[in-house]
Amino acid sequence: MQPFDRPEHFVNAAREMADAGRPVLARLLAEEAADRTPDPDTARQILAEFPGRSLRQEN
């Protein structure tokens, strides 16, 4: 099994969840992808593809 730790892995999973009608999970995965993306412009593009407010619970 390949590791699931790169931004593109999370983006691909987010797209799958969006296609499956699971927008909240898609947004959470997109946020994780954006967090793992070193380029701020790319991170903004990722989040723009999955609009909505953050649903993360920060401690």
Side-chain angles (χ1 to χ4, degrees):
M1 178 175 228
Q2 295 292 327
F4 192 88
D5 58 359
R6 299 180 53 111
E8 57 267 20
H9 297 151
F10 288 91
V11 171
N12 290 337
R15 288 181 180 134
E16 288 178 21
M17 291 301 102
D19 290 345
R22 312 233 11 225
V24 172
L25 185 52
R27 175 64 188 198
L28 289 170
L29 287 162
E31 289 177 7
E32 187 63 33
D35 286 350
R36 292 169 181 257
T37 300
D39 178 51
D41 291 330
T42 302
R44 280 190 290 277
Q45 289 172 350
I46 291 168
L47 294 176
E49 186 177 343
F50 303 92
R53 63 181 180 84
S54 177
L55 299 173
R56 288 182 171 181
Q57 295 180 355
E58 302 293 333
N59 293 331

